Amino acid sequence: MSDRALRTAGLVLAVLGVGIAGYLVYVHYADIDPVCNIAHGCHKVQTSDYAELAGIPVALLGLIGYVVILGALVAPGEAARMVAALTALVGFGFSMYLTYRELFTIDAICQWCVGSAILMTGLAGVCTWRLLREPDTMVA
Amino acid sequence: MSDPSTTPTKRERREAARAERQERESAAAAADTRRKRLLTLLGLLGAAVVIVVVAIVISSGGSSDKPTPAASSGGDVAGVAETKALIGGIPQSGITLGKADAPVTIVEFADPQCPFCKEYTLNEMPAVVKQYVRTGKAKMELRYLTFIGPDSVTAAQALQGAAPQSRFWEASDLFYRNQGEENSGYVTDDFLKGILTGAGADATKALAAGSSSAVAEQLGEAKTLASRYGVDSTPTILVGPTGGELKKDTESAPTAAGIGKLVDAAAAKGGT
């Protein structure tokens, strides 16, 4: 797969992530319940102890993460690839932790959070792949 | 014998050697770059692991800290002002909140440890209190079931112990605002003292009253009533004309709107 294709895939995933995280940030500050097809799951997760990290809404941290990845995917150069990969790997790790908490501590599933975790997993794969690509096949 | 037409010339041999050397150098450079990239990836993975672990420690610490203020400082619990704003000024007697002659009675069955009861208490009940209890249209009874575990029994006894001081509803509301993880053993005497003090009760008296036979009887009554109305989960809401037959709220999770409809129906039935 070419670098251009990987970058396009990453951009699509990051834009979707910005959409989901942006929506969750909006419902957090508007103090409304997110649209949720799984009975009360989103409300329960969004109002749980794990919805904030050091007083900052996790949704806002996710939004910042997606925007950083988006910017790093657009920017050229090795440093941008590293920033994208690091941010995506951190996002992936924390998404896995939050999914574990949803399943075993909060006992509820928020479809938006699961969607975000899937996107972050995809981004971690794409960004890591871009970083490891054969140097002679890379396109700046 | 060699064929002179296929024997490489000196120049061709030199060029072939140069091409081979360039290929070797190019392969070595590529391998070096790959090694550097792998090292970079390992570094990034290490950094990512450190960042995620720090985030998890902060997240876990933050969640487990919430119930402890009561334990550490006796009375310094979260949500005291909100509880006072919600319940303050409304008459209460025993487990009942609201005017004694209110035409409609709303009965809630709850477990102090039940997270859905917390959700109901924090998100739906305030509207019911504001629209129906404060206005005298209905009164509310809170009956504790203690099926989740030993912490439920300890909590229910202590909270019911605040009823003689007319602080049962403040204590219950405050308990939900500081609810911890189910059966984690967080319902200690220190924790309960914090809740009861925050509710404006004499904590020592409430804890003593909680272990009385009167409270044991009230908890037994709740079980009997729950069995009569087929209550098998919490929170369950029953609504009916005061003194009359109660009707169960059949919503998957009770909402202020759903309870409001039942209150209006009960009021109409009661002729008010």
Side-chain angles (χ1 to χ4, degrees):
Chain A
M1 190 181 266
S2 71
D3 185 72
R4 185 187 292 261
L6 282 174
R7 183 147 67 174
T8 305
L11 286 172
V12 170
L13 293 172
V15 167
L16 288 172
V18 166
I20 289 182
Y23 173 66
L24 290 177
V25 169
Y26 165 71
V27 300
H28 177 88
Y29 286 108
D31 201 20
I32 55 176
D33 282 347
V35 174
C36 195
N37 291 330
I38 304 169
H40 301 289
C42 297
H43 175 81
K44 197 175 175 188
V45 172
Q46 291 297 313
T47 54
S48 74
D49 291 343
Y50 301 97
E52 289 189 350
L53 185 67
I56 305 167
V58 168
L60 180 59
L61 293 174
L63 180 61
I64 292 169
Y66 282 118
V67 170
V68 168
I69 294 171
L70 199 58
L73 283 168
V74 171
E78 192 71 10
R81 287 170 199 272
M82 285 170 60
V83 169
L86 176 64
T87 312
L89 287 169
V90 169
F92 167 71
F94 199 62
S95 293
M96 291 302 105
Y97 164 72
L98 290 177
T99 304
Y100 161 79
R101 286 297 187 188
E102 282 183 59
L103 290 172
F104 299 106
T105 305
I106 307 169
D107 206 17
I109 286 289
C110 168
Q111 66 207 25
W112 299 102
C113 310
V114 172
S116 175
I118 292 169
L119 291 175
M120 208 45 110
T121 304
L123 278 170
V126 166
C127 294
T128 307
W129 194 351
R130 280 190 83 216
L131 195 70
L132 286 177
R133 277 177 60 74
E134 289 291 327
D136 54 346
T137 59
M138 274 176 26
V139 178
Chain B
M1 276 186 59
S2 63
D3 180 359
S5 66
T6 57
T7 307
T9 63
K10 199 174 177 184
R11 186 180 170 191
E12 283 172 335
R13 281 201 303 274
R14 246 197 339 263
E15 279 176 2
R18 187 166 59 234
E20 200 181 315
R21 193 182 67 243
Q22 280 174 342
E23 205 174 299
R24 267 202 317 273
E25 282 172 0
S26 171
D32 190 45
T33 308
R34 271 198 300 275
R35 196 167 51 246
K36 279 181 186 165
R37 284 176 189 282
L38 273 173
L39 284 175
T40 304
L41 178 66
L42 284 176
L44 289 179
L45 275 175
V49 167
V50 170
I51 294 170
V52 170
V53 167
V54 169
I56 289 172
V57 168
I58 294 171
S59 171
S60 306
S63 66
S64 59
D65 279 350
K66 287 192 176 174
T68 53
S72 59
S73 50
D76 182 19
V77 291
V80 172
E82 288 86 347
T83 294
K84 276 186 184 165
L86 179 68
I87 313 281
I90 303 175
Q92 61 178 293
S93 167
I95 59 166
T96 305
L97 180 73
K99 288 181 182 168
D101 60 353
V104 175
T105 299
I106 302 167
V107 180
E108 178 193 352
F109 287 93
D111 185 305
Q113 288 202 90
C114 149
F116 291 106
C117 302
K118 174 184 175 177
E119 266 188 59
Y120 163 74
T121 302
L122 301 189
N123 300 317
E124 302 297 333
M125 196 186 83
V128 178
V129 170
K130 193 176 167 189
Q131 287 175 35
Y132 297 100
V133 181
R134 264 195 197 282
T135 55
K137 291 177 183 170
K139 57 183 175 181
M140 293 169 63
E141 285 178 12
L142 176 53
R143 294 189 178 270
Y144 278 129
L145 301 175
T146 53
F147 63 90
I148 292 180
D151 276 349
S152 300
V153 179
T154 313
Q157 287 174 338
L159 297 173
Q160 294 243 165
Q165 300 177 53
S166 296
R167 288 288 181 264
F168 171 66
W169 277 86
E170 283 93 340
S172 295
D173 193 71
L174 211 45
F175 187 93
Y176 282 122
R177 291 181 193 276
N178 292 273
Q179 190 185 62
E181 206 166 310
E182 286 179 20
N183 295 326
S184 60
Y186 73 99
V187 187
T188 59
D189 268 7
D190 274 352
F191 176 79
L192 290 169
K193 277 178 188 169
I195 297 292
L196 292 163
T197 305
D202 180 324
T204 310
K205 277 187 186 172
L207 287 174
S211 54
S212 68
S213 57
V215 165
E217 249 175 58
Q218 285 165 357
L219 292 173
E221 272 173 29
K223 266 188 196 171
T224 308
L225 198 63
S227 166
R228 181 180 157 197
Y229 282 98
V231 174
D232 52 11
S233 64
T234 58
T236 292
I237 305 287
L238 305 176
V239 181
T242 297
E245 196 63 14
L246 301 166
K247 190 177 175 186
K248 198 194 279 188
D249 179 6
T250 54
E251 295 174 283
S252 60
T255 63
I259 294 169
K261 281 180 192 165
L262 290 174
V263 170
D264 292 339
K269 204 173 171 183
T272 55

